[in-house]
Amino acid sequence: ATMPCDSSANAEQCKVEQDLKRPAPVEQQENYARDPSDGEPEAKRLCDHANPPSSVLPIESGSSCRDGGGETASGGGDMHECRVPSDVVAALEAVVEGVVDEKAHECGVASDVVAALEALECSVPSEVVAALEALVAGVVDEEEFIDPCPDYDYDAENRNDPYSVADFAYDIFAYGRSREKWFAVGDYMPRHPGLKVNTHANVVEWLVDCQEAMSLNHESLYLGVKLFDLYLDAEKDPVPRSEIQLLAIVCLCLACKYEESAPVMVDDMLSLWGEDAPLDAEAALQQKHLHVLQTLDYDLGAPNSYAFLRRYAKAYKTDMNSLTLARYILETSLYYYEYVGASASRIAAGAFLLALRMEKAGAEWTPAMHKYSGHAASLVEPWAAELNHMMHVNRSDIGINPKLKTVRGKYANEAYFKVGKVPLLPDAFPIDRPLTRPN
């Protein structure tokens, strides 16, 4: 379907207004994409898998905002008394009150505050600097978002569908984007010398196999991988390679508690451990379970890129082929440690745009997509190019990639429209160029 803001003929309707205006409800439409796993509980799930996963997790030998490390203003060092300039105070008050428009980071407001604070003869808490740097990077108050496509309201069209939660959906996803900065993952690998970058890819390969065999929701897979990364980023003590499989099982178990409608039995989780499980496996699982929860401060509500992707597909009324192709791209990105710190909503947007272009040459990021993703084309285009390069690397013989076959094999199945066999777009980068996270 064509959005009101997708054609040049309607460009005049899409002029940016100063105030966000939501149109009146219109007649409900139901031609939006649904996940293959939606439906009655008795219906056969597309991820049903007759073969159990391998019980052996193949592991190669050999400061984020949740780090918890370092000294804070109250706990480390002496704070010198100093006088803060009034313009700095005013700028900080503006930040606190959310009186910052989308171009604040371009105007240098936040960077000026950082520079002024550093010029003072006093210690600046790292949390303050991190928060202001996040603002410089473009993390602005959602209330200041200007609707780029005011004449299209997907939620109004579906207000009579109770499953759409139309009255709250827009704000729910805006809230999810606002929480992304609290679940950012840093470069944790140097703090765990027993682990390698390939360890992350091996864990994901194994978790995908487990998700297929146990018929779990895809949200559980994505959250399990996220919790795995968040824990390693927050854990101060080095995690030995021998504990990685236990950690992966615990993170998947916690994700299932958060995402699944039916609880996963402890015995099922222990069976994933296989023959290497110790005699006190259940006690070890419970102990690690509690330790992970404590390390993550019991907050498991990390924004989920899979949920963002489904939202984009529904709002843009795309078909299941395009959505499934985007899911294949997004699930492949879970392999790569280079993307652990990526914005969930932005990498989902990049996967969605790439999928549209793989099916239709010249597809663009429209104002309607901007509205429901919260990201302008200038932020999404680099991700589409990067993920296309990632797909070429995944199919190459570079490094560990020849061993990463589960995701591609899964999506080559007829149940997933054989999107794993869709030809890739030409790569804009040399095949040996390292994967990078666009700014």
Side-chain angles (χ1 to χ4, degrees):
T2 303
M3 302 298 102
C5 297
D6 291 352
S7 63
S8 57
N10 294 321
E12 189 65 26
Q13 298 177 359
C14 300
K15 289 184 177 179
V16 176
E17 301 180 8
Q18 294 300 318
D19 299 317
L20 176 62
K21 298 180 180 179
R22 305 292 289 274
V26 296
E27 185 178 357
Q28 178 190 15
Q29 299 183 18
E30 297 182 353
N31 57 334
Y32 55 83
R34 290 188 180 275
D35 189 284
S37 62
D38 287 346
E40 297 297 327
E42 294 79 14
K44 179 174 177 57
R45 299 282 297 280
L46 292 181
C47 57
D48 286 348
H49 199 298
N51 298 321
S54 170
S55 61
V56 180
L57 174 60
I59 301 296
E60 298 288 336
S61 58
S63 179
S64 76
C65 60
R66 302 177 64 92
D67 186 6
E71 296 178 334
T72 62
S74 60
D78 296 329
M79 293 289 291
H80 300 288
E81 294 185 0
C82 60
R83 185 177 183 82
V84 181
S86 59
D87 57 340
V88 174
V89 174
L92 286 172
E93 289 176 346
V95 172
V96 172
E97 294 173 3
V99 189
V100 182
D101 61 23
E102 276 191 314
K103 295 186 177 180
H105 57 288
E106 297 176 3
C107 299
V109 173
S111 57
D112 288 346
V113 173
V114 173
L117 286 171
E118 291 177 345
L120 298 175
E121 295 181 355
C122 61
S123 300
V124 180
S126 59
E127 293 85 351
V128 174
V129 176
L132 291 172
E133 288 177 345
L135 183 61
V136 174
V139 181
V140 297
D141 194 292
E142 286 287 343
E143 294 181 358
E144 296 300 320
F145 178 72
I146 300 175
D147 190 349
C149 189
D151 293 315
Y152 173 60
D153 193 333
Y154 166 78
D155 296 310
E157 294 180 1
N158 293 277
R159 193 149 286 156
N160 294 327
D161 180 5
Y163 294 103
S164 294
V165 202
D167 290 334
F168 307 103
Y170 192 91
D171 293 330
I172 287 172
F173 283 93
Y175 174 70
R177 290 195 300 271
S178 73
R179 279 176 61 82
E180 288 186 88
K181 55 183 174 290
W182 303 115
F183 293 89
V185 177
D187 182 14
Y188 60 75
M189 203 63 71
R191 296 204 306 276
H192 304 286
L195 310 183
K196 294 183 178 181
V197 172
N198 288 349
T199 303
H200 184 273
N202 281 318
V203 167
V204 172
E205 175 84 348
W206 187 72
L207 288 177
V208 171
D209 201 12
C210 293
Q211 179 259 328
E212 279 277 273
M214 300 176 69
S215 299
L216 302 176
N217 293 327
H218 283 83
E219 289 88 345
S220 298
L221 168 65
Y222 281 76
L223 181 57
V225 174
K226 184 69 174 182
L227 296 179
F228 178 85
D229 290 324
L230 286 170
Y231 173 81
L232 289 176
D233 191 36
E235 178 57 54
K236 299 177 182 178
D237 298 326
V239 176
R241 185 168 57 89
S242 59
E243 293 185 9
I244 289 298
Q245 185 163 16
L246 172 60
L247 176 60
I249 294 173
V250 167
C251 290
L252 184 61
C253 180
L254 289 171
C256 289
K257 288 185 176 182
Y258 196 88
E259 295 287 0
E260 299 292 328
S261 58
V264 178
M265 305 303 292
V266 175
D267 289 342
D268 292 335
M269 286 295 171
L270 291 176
S271 68
L272 299 177
W273 215 333
E275 298 178 355
D276 295 333
L279 296 177
D280 59 343
E282 186 171 350
L285 185 67
Q286 292 176 346
Q287 184 178 7
K288 194 68 175 179
H289 183 281
L290 180 60
H291 180 62
V292 171
L293 280 174
Q294 292 172 335
T295 303
L296 299 181
D297 199 22
Y298 295 89
D299 191 351
L300 308 182
N304 196 314
S305 58
Y306 182 82
F308 282 116
L309 178 60
R310 291 188 62 189
R311 169 67 169 175
Y312 304 158
K314 288 182 177 182
Y316 197 61
K317 301 177 182 176
T318 190
D319 56 37
M320 277 304 306
N321 288 67
S322 298
L323 172 57
T324 308
L325 179 56
R327 289 168 56 194
Y328 166 46
I329 297 168
L330 189 62
E331 197 164 320
T332 302
S333 73
L334 294 178
Y335 280 131
Y336 298 101
Y337 177 76
E338 291 83 354
Y339 302 144
V340 296
S343 159
S345 61
R346 197 169 294 177
I347 194 172
F352 186 52
L353 178 57
L354 176 58
L356 294 178
R357 287 180 173 174
M358 290 172 69
E359 292 203 326
K360 181 181 179 181
E364 299 294 337
W365 193 252
T366 67
M369 295 178 184
H370 181 182
K371 174 176 182 173
Y372 287 98
S373 69
H375 300 301
S378 60
L379 299 176
V380 179
E381 292 278 358
W383 266 112
E386 173 62 25
L387 292 175
N388 184 55
H389 176 60
M390 174 204 71
M391 297 300 292
H392 282 273
V393 171
N394 178 255
R395 296 187 183 185
S396 72
D397 58 356
I398 298 176
I400 195 176
N401 288 286
K403 299 180 181 179
L404 306 179
K405 300 178 180 180
T406 302
V407 172
R408 186 180 180 187
K410 168 183 172 180
Y411 284 93
N413 190 285
E414 187 175 356
Y416 291 94
F417 307 105
K418 299 182 179 181
V419 296
K421 299 180 180 180
V422 174
L424 302 179
L425 298 179
D427 194 356
F429 308 105
I431 191 64
D432 58 350
R433 195 215 73 170
L435 299 179
T436 60
R437 189 173 74 241
N439 293 326

